[in-house]
Amino acid sequence: MEVQRELSEIIRTEVKDPRLSSAMTSVVSVEVSPDLKYCKAFISVLGDEVTCKSVQEGLNSAVGYIRKELARRVNLRNTPEIKFVLDQSIQYGVTMSRLIDDVTKDLKQDQENQEN
């Protein structure tokens, strides 16, 4: 949990890559291996596919700096190697919610048309 919080803070405030500043990026979850050597950070990006790809490239290019900052901020035996993975679940949820709203709106209109 502390790794996730610190990664979010580092990405939000410390990384000066223009690819990251153009999109809202959040760390959804983090999986750290038991030996603390590897870390999978699941990130969510608000934007289209091109923006997501750009943000992931920006994070991958800054991974050395992010890892160094994480080591400085969090007292761990080992500083894990970080791999950033795009998490599409939030975008999927927004899309599904929009589809459900469209269907219910259509059903409501059909009911009103039948009553008239």
Side-chain angles (χ1 to χ4, degrees), residues 66-94:
I66 294 170
R67 187 172 183 222
K68 185 180 79 174
E69 276 298 305
L70 186 64
R72 192 176 65 76
R73 294 177 180 208
V74 180
N75 187 14
L76 296 172
R77 209 171 1 146
N78 296 315
T79 303
E81 288 182 33
I82 304 166
K83 179 177 181 187
F84 292 102
V85 179
L86 280 176
D87 183 359
Q88 302 290 351
S89 62
I90 293 175
Q91 184 63 37
Y92 179 76
V94 168

Side-chain angles (χ1 to χ4, degrees), residues 43-84:
I43 57 167
S44 177
V45 180
L46 192 61
D48 60 3
E49 195 171 322
V50 174
T51 304
C52 292
K53 194 168 191 81
S54 174
V55 166
Q56 191 169 21
E57 288 170 0
L59 287 171
N60 287 333
S61 71
V63 75
Y65 174 77
I66 294 170
R67 187 172 183 222
K68 185 180 79 174
E69 276 298 305
L70 186 64
R72 192 176 65 76
R73 294 177 180 208
V74 180
N75 187 14
L76 296 172
R77 209 171 1 146
N78 296 315
T79 303
E81 288 182 33
I82 304 166
K83 179 177 181 187
F84 292 102

Side-chain angles (χ1 to χ4, degrees), residues 14 17 73 89 103:
E14 301 292 326
D17 193 310
R73 294 177 180 208
S89 62
V103 168

